[in-house]
Amino acid sequence: MTTPHQPAASARLNVVVLVSGTGSLLQAILDGQDERYGVVKVVADVPCQGIERAQAAGIATEVVEMGADRAEWNKRLVAAVDSAQPDVVVSAGFMKILGKDFLARFEGRTINTHPALLPAFKGAHGVRDALAYGAKVTGSTVHFVDAGVDTGAIIAQEPVRVLPGDDEASLHERIKVVERELIVAVLRATRVKGEELSIQL
Ligand code: GAR
């Protein structure tokens, strides 16, 4: 049995970050820590550079690799995150869909950063899909995670222009510059109100 986590409204926000890869957004989140929020743990689904960045910063880490049983992996993921008692969970380049056990525990407190202007170009290839569609403007969206794929309520968005000659890598890098600022701004503006988050940007 788990009990609901009820932190003090004025306390520094405890953040758990989920990563799967390079972790450049995680690095921005780590560099942006101040009296408003701190990263208490970094959890990944695969060994990755994000985990190395967290270790270099002296942050607790855990890798929860998925086996054949996805539901069982979700339970292990919940336990790994829960052990750090987060106020907020940030999915920052975490490339797995969070299942119902995870949402039952953390929905409303889990936010994701996506490299497109939702509701356009949802899914794992937001940058590639915007480019292939011929979009002239794309960008970054920070949103709550719900049971759909990139369908949760939007918290913040910033546009990024697609330039002539852009390829996926060049466009993604410009989007990430914006994502890094946006996610730090969102975390600094986030407070806990009971079981809910209040985000005043
Ligand atoms: C970011 O652009 C993030 O929005 C994206 O992965 C990148 C992670 O970069 N996430 C998704 O596409 C999730 N659907 P990083 O590893 O350098 O932080």
Side-chain angles (χ1 to χ4, degrees):
M1 270 300 281
T2 48
T3 48
H5 175 45
Q6 288 200 315
S10 61
R12 188 176 189 235
L13 205 70
N14 285 337
V15 179
V16 167
V17 185
L18 307 178
V19 293
S20 296
T22 314
S24 73
L25 302 189
L26 167 67
Q27 191 64 56
I29 294 168
L30 292 173
D31 294 345
Q33 294 178 101
D34 63 6
E35 71 285 354
R36 287 165 283 190
Y37 80 84
V39 177
V40 289
K41 188 168 182 178
V42 174
V43 177
D45 58 323
V46 284
C48 60
Q49 201 185 336
I51 287 289
E52 289 166 20
R53 290 179 192 266
Q55 285 167 345
I59 308 280
T61 62
E62 193 167 337
V63 178
V64 185
E65 294 193 68
M66 193 187 278
D69 186 341
R70 194 172 190 118
E72 186 266 342
W73 171 76
N74 254 277
K75 287 189 185 5
R76 284 189 285 121
L77 191 68
V78 170
V81 173
D82 223 1
S83 70
Q85 288 281 288
D87 301 312
V88 180
V89 182
V90 180
S91 160
F94 189 67
M95 301 310 279
K96 293 262 189 326
I97 292 169
L98 298 165
K100 67 175 173 16
D101 282 306
F102 193 93
L103 292 173
R105 181 68 178 139
F106 298 113
E107 188 165 4
R109 288 190 285 141
T110 303
I111 64 181
N112 178 50
T113 162
H114 182 74
L117 291 178
L118 294 173
F121 309 118
K122 300 180 176 97
H125 305 292
V127 180
R128 188 186 307 171
D129 293 347
L131 209 50
Y133 195 85
K136 300 296 179 205
V137 178
T138 182
S140 160
T141 303
V142 177
H143 64 97
F144 283 103
V145 174
D146 68 7
V149 176
D150 301 325
T151 52
I154 291 171
I155 298 165
Q157 287 186 308
E158 281 291 328
V160 173
R161 223 167 246 292
V162 181
L163 300 179
D166 256 338
D167 59 15
E168 187 178 352
S170 64
L171 179 57
H172 200 171
E173 191 43 49
R174 284 205 317 288
I175 292 172
K176 284 195 199 184
V177 171
V178 169
E179 288 189 277
R180 292 174 194 129
E181 280 188 25
L182 206 56
I183 189 63
V184 169
V186 165
L187 288 172
R188 287 180 171 167
T190 300
R191 286 290 153 269
V192 177
K193 286 232 172 98
E195 282 296 287
E196 309 236 307
L197 296 183
S198 151
I199 305 176
Q200 306 284 336
L201 284 165

